[in-house]
Every structure is written in structure tokens, then in C-alpha cells.
Amino acid sequence: VPGHVLVVPQRVVPKLSQLTNDEYDDLWRSVRIVQHALENHYDAGGFNVAVQDGRDAGQSVPHVHVHILPRIKGDFERNDDVYDALEEWAPTNAMVKKNMEEKEKMELNVPDDEDRVDRTMEQMEDEARLYRSLL
């Protein structure tokens, strides 16, 4: 989903309940600020905002983070198709190749940390510049 952003607290903890009240408040205020910036940039009419709070909830990395997905009217034929698109998203080069070859749905398969392909510093800097300009 274009504009999919993660908002993370400065201190690394696995669960929301481990944040101090100030950290919790700051996290959700930051989510609201990012939503406003993305709303203007992507002309979003809504958002999917999600947290997997702990491993048993599907959290793939052991730190609190909030997913923000800008939504635009008609971006998917059925509104809930966004979840299918997220399942088809492939975070490693090997998964991208497999997905392109098979051209069919695949279950969300989050790779182990050692199998993940990191974005380059240049890619992250470009994205940071874009979002900084929005704030």
C-alpha cells in the first residue's frame, strides 16, 4: 500500500503495556501527526491503523510499532482486499521472485531476521526526506 508507514517509540519494548504513560501518549500523538501528513500527501480518505501487540498477536519483530496505511476511495475493489494485498506483499527478494513466478496468492510468510533483505541507506534517506518534508 503506497504510504505504508511504521511509527515506533524511541525506547524498544515488545508490548504496549511496557511503555510509560508519556511514551504511550507520544506514540499515539505521533500516529495522529503522521496520519495528517499522509492524508495531505496521498489525498487519503481513511486509514488502516494496526498494532500486533506481542508475538501471539502476530508481531513479527519484538518491538512496539504502529502500522499506518493510507486508504483512497476505490483503491481496492472490495475494501477488505487490502488484507489480501498485504498477504501478497513479499519482503525478501526470494519471495518477490517466487510471487512473480507463481502469480497467485501466498500466505504471509514473515522471514526470520537473518533472511530479511534490508533496504539501502539511500532508500531509507529518500523516504525520510519525503516524510520530513510533509511534517
Side-chain angles (χ1 to χ4, degrees), residues 3-127:
H4 179 182
V5 172
L6 297 180
V7 176
V8 298
Q10 288 185 341
R11 188 168 63 93
V12 176
V13 295
K15 298 184 77 182
L16 286 168
S17 62
Q18 295 170 305
L19 294 171
T20 67
N21 288 338
D22 286 343
E23 289 170 330
Y24 186 88
D25 291 346
D26 183 61
L27 175 68
W28 290 105
R29 287 177 190 271
S30 297
V31 166
R32 189 168 51 191
I33 290 167
V34 170
Q35 277 185 280
H36 181 70
L38 295 174
E39 181 177 32
N40 292 331
H41 184 72
Y42 290 99
D43 198 26
F47 291 87
N48 289 99
V49 178
V51 176
Q52 289 81 32
D53 195 26
R55 184 179 190 96
D56 291 344
Q59 185 185 58
S60 59
V61 291
H63 65 79
V64 170
H65 56 282
V66 180
H67 295 261
I68 303 175
L69 293 88
R71 299 294 306 279
I72 300 164
K73 185 175 183 166
D75 57 357
F76 291 93
E77 186 175 329
R78 286 182 332 107
N79 200 36
D80 285 347
D81 287 347
V82 67
Y83 302 112
D84 294 334
L86 289 172
E87 285 183 11
E88 292 172 359
W89 175 73
T92 67
N93 288 337
M95 291 172 69
V96 169
K97 183 178 178 184
K98 178 180 178 184
N99 194 29
M100 289 175 63
E101 289 172 356
E102 295 178 1
K103 299 262 185 197
E104 64 186 33
K105 284 186 183 179
M106 53 191 270
E107 290 184 30
L108 180 62
N109 182 10
V110 178
D112 293 331
D113 285 344
E114 63 270 6
D115 294 331
R116 290 179 185 242
V117 176
D118 292 336
R119 294 182 298 152
T120 67
M121 185 59 72
E122 183 178 343
Q123 289 171 315
M124 292 186 287
E125 288 172 350
D126 288 346
E127 187 175 37

